[in-house]
């Protein structure tokens, strides 16, 4: 595979930059400019270096390189597919579940995933949550004593400076009823050089359990640099969990999904959520059916360590929340209280007695 490095090591934020770096053919310029005019484009040097432009089905390119199919919006696709806006009591806060809330600190990301469920809301130029608006968001979290966990998201909060994340961590630490602080990020994978020892320490929220959800979708994303960044976070005392999206053409096959989950576990990241793709505009090319997803997840059980098993999740459109949609291995045989059938990893059925 040919390795490409963007000039000057800067993110590729335009179609021209993608062409100059050799990851997009020049003849695609016109069609991709139309996409870039609607949805943000950014590919970090770490991800650009993994793209094989000779492979039309390259799974890294599929995640980050724009495609004309993004301009086709199906009737069932909606701008806010998981209903953030309906559950936002103040700017920057989403309070969908009683005991936890999102704190959306930024609207920008180091990379823009072509399947992003917030693609209508994120992009360059979006203001970070600062000043009076940050004060109001933190005041809401402090006033609502039922909030046990705060999840920092965006955008990607780890594009903020160490000074800024340390300040936010310090202010969260002063809210006694918050016991768990969780950062959601792609940075350790797509821009691993940002995760220095000092940065990893700055993310700690004193007196709180510290979790970091690492977003990766393909085993090739685990470069040596990414593995080192994850090690720095784990060594700093953060509990690392995973977040992936089941994507057609990227990881929707048994071998790739297995390798991805093993890569997480090898790097001290516990597989957590495997998301069914949301109904974001222009993302139909990534979606598979729930039945196909269930079959893939079922294939992991019994063939991979229990440490490697994610929870397959559907975010109900409109903001009703997440539900597990994993496959069933137990089926009833008849009336309540009757024996059941338990299916093993080979697909064979075994009777299980009632009671």
């Amino acid at each position: 595979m040919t390795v490409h490095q963007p000039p000057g090591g800067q993110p590729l934020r335009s179609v021209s930059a993608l062409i100059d770096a050799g990851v997009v053919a020049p003849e695609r310029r016109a069609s991709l400019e139309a996409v870039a005019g609607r949805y943000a484009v950014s590919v970090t040097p770490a991800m650009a270096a993994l793209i094989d432009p000779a492979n039309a089905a390259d799974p890294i390119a599929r995640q980050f390189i724009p495609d004309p199919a993004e301009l086709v919006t199906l009737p069932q696709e909606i701008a806010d597919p998981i209903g953030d806006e309906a559950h936002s009591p103040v700017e920057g806060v989403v309070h969908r579940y009683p005991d936890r809330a999102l704190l959306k600190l930024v609207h920008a990301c180091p990379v823009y995933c072509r399947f992003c469920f917030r693609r209508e809301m994120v992009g360059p130029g979006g203001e970070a949550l600062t000043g009076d608006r940050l004060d109001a968001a933190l005041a809401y979290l402090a006033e609502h004593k039922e909030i046990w966990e705060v999840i920092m998201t965006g955008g990607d909060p780890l594009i903020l400076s160490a000074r800024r994340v340390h300040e936010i961590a310090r202010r969260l630490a002063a809210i006694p009823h918050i016991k768990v602080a969780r950062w959601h990020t792609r940075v350790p994978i797509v821009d691993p050089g940002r995760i220095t020892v000092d940065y990893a320490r700055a993310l700690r929220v004193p007196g709180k359990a510290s979790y970091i959800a690492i977003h990766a979708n393909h085993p090739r994303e685990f470069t040596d640099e990414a593995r080192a960044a994850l090690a720095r976070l784990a060594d700093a005392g953060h509990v690392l969990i995973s977040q992936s999206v089941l994507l057609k053409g990227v990881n929707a096959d048994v071998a790739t999904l297995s390798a991805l989950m093993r890569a997480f576990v090898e790097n001290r990241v516990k597989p957590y959520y495997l998301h069914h793709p949301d109904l974001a505009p222009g993302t139909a090319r990534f979606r598979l059916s729930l039945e196909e997803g269930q079959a893939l997840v079922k294939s992991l059980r019994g063939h991979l360590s229990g440490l490697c098993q994610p929870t397959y999740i559907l975010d109900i459109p409109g903001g009703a929340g997440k539900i597990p949609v994993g496959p069933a291995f137990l089926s009833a045989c008849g009336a309540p209280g009757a024996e059941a059938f338990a299916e093993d990893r080979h697909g064979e059925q075994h009777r299980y007695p009632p009671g």
Side-chain angles (χ1 to χ4, degrees), residues 180-221:
V180 179
R182 191 193 331 167
W183 304 86
H184 276 214
T185 183
R186 241 193 184 300
V187 166
I189 298 294
V190 303
D191 192 11
R194 284 190 61 81
I195 309 300
T196 63
V197 170
D198 287 343
Y199 197 95
R201 291 172 179 161
L203 292 166
R204 290 299 307 271
V205 180
K208 316 296 183 185
S210 177
Y211 286 75
I212 301 179
I214 306 296
H215 183 171
N217 296 313
H218 194 276
R220 271 175 45 205
E221 296 173 42

Side-chain angles (χ1 to χ4, degrees), residues 2-348:
T2 303
V3 175
H4 297 266
Q5 186 71 11
Q10 296 300 311
L12 310 174
R13 295 195 176 101
S14 68
V15 174
S16 291
L18 295 172
I19 292 170
D20 290 344
V23 296
V24 165
E27 56 268 25
R28 298 183 64 196
R29 181 187 297 272
S31 63
L32 299 192
E33 289 284 10
V35 182
R38 178 169 179 181
Y39 298 117
V41 173
S42 183
V43 185
T44 58
M47 292 297 99
L50 295 179
I51 293 173
D52 180 5
N55 178 7
D58 183 81
I60 308 301
R62 187 170 173 83
Q63 292 184 70
F64 305 119
I65 301 299
D67 188 282
E70 296 176 51
L71 298 178
V72 179
T73 300
L74 301 184
Q76 65 267 35
E77 294 177 339
I78 49 180
D80 183 13
I82 69 168
D84 277 357
E85 187 175 345
H87 296 278
S88 185
V90 297
E91 184 179 357
V93 173
V94 178
H95 194 183
R96 182 179 288 107
Y97 305 100
D99 72 338
R100 55 204 182 277
L102 303 182
L103 182 59
K104 294 163 66 173
L105 295 168
V106 291
H107 294 283
C109 298
V111 293
Y112 292 106
C113 303
R114 311 323 301 173
F115 50 86
C116 179
F117 67 94
R118 290 195 178 115
R119 62 192 333 226
E120 300 279 4
M121 309 168 196
V122 300
E127 291 185 18
L129 195 68
T130 58
D132 292 344
R133 295 176 303 127
L134 178 60
D135 292 344
L138 291 170
Y140 178 90
L141 299 177
E143 290 162 5
H144 287 261
K145 300 189 185 304
E146 72 275 22
I147 297 176
W148 171 80
E149 179 183 22
V150 174
I151 301 157
M152 277 67 71
T153 183
D156 194 317
L158 268 61
I159 66 171
L160 297 172
S161 68
R163 180 189 64 80
R164 288 278 294 127
V165 298
H166 177 71
E167 173 65 13
I168 291 161
R170 183 189 65 78
R171 296 182 69 176
L172 287 171
I175 304 176
H177 57 268
I178 294 173
K179 304 299 183 183
V180 179
R182 191 193 331 167
W183 304 86
H184 276 214
T185 183
R186 241 193 184 300
V187 166
I189 298 294
V190 303
D191 192 11
R194 284 190 61 81
I195 309 300
T196 63
V197 170
D198 287 343
Y199 197 95
R201 291 172 179 161
L203 292 166
R204 290 299 307 271
V205 180
K208 316 296 183 185
S210 177
Y211 286 75
I212 301 179
I214 306 296
H215 183 171
N217 296 313
H218 194 276
R220 271 175 45 205
E221 296 173 42
F222 287 81
T223 62
D224 290 344
E225 294 78 11
R227 291 171 185 266
L230 295 173
R232 287 190 285 273
L233 291 171
D235 290 345
H238 302 284
V239 178
L240 307 183
I241 58 178
S242 82
Q243 180 166 268
S244 302
V245 185
L246 188 58
L247 301 166
K248 186 183 293 185
V250 176
N251 56 23
D253 63 86
V254 174
T256 303
L257 201 57
S258 298
L260 173 63
M261 295 304 148
R262 284 176 171 148
F264 278 127
V265 172
E266 290 165 8
N267 287 279
R268 292 183 278 175
V269 183
K270 175 65 182 79
Y272 178 47
Y273 276 168
L274 176 64
H275 292 268
H276 191 76
D278 294 308
L279 296 174
T283 61
R285 67 194 178 104
F286 292 104
R287 287 197 295 275
L288 63 168
S289 70
L290 280 166
E291 291 78 13
E292 290 172 315
Q294 288 171 328
L296 281 169
V297 173
K298 192 171 191 175
S299 70
L300 303 182
R301 182 64 61 179
H303 296 276
L304 287 180
S305 164
L307 291 173
C308 298
Q309 306 293 329
T311 300
Y312 186 31
I313 286 290
L314 173 69
D315 222 321
I316 300 172
K322 298 180 179 69
I323 57 169
V325 289
F329 291 84
L330 194 67
S331 57
C333 296
E339 65 181 1
F341 282 120
E343 182 180 335
D344 68 20
R345 65 190 178 93
H346 301 293
E348 297 180 6

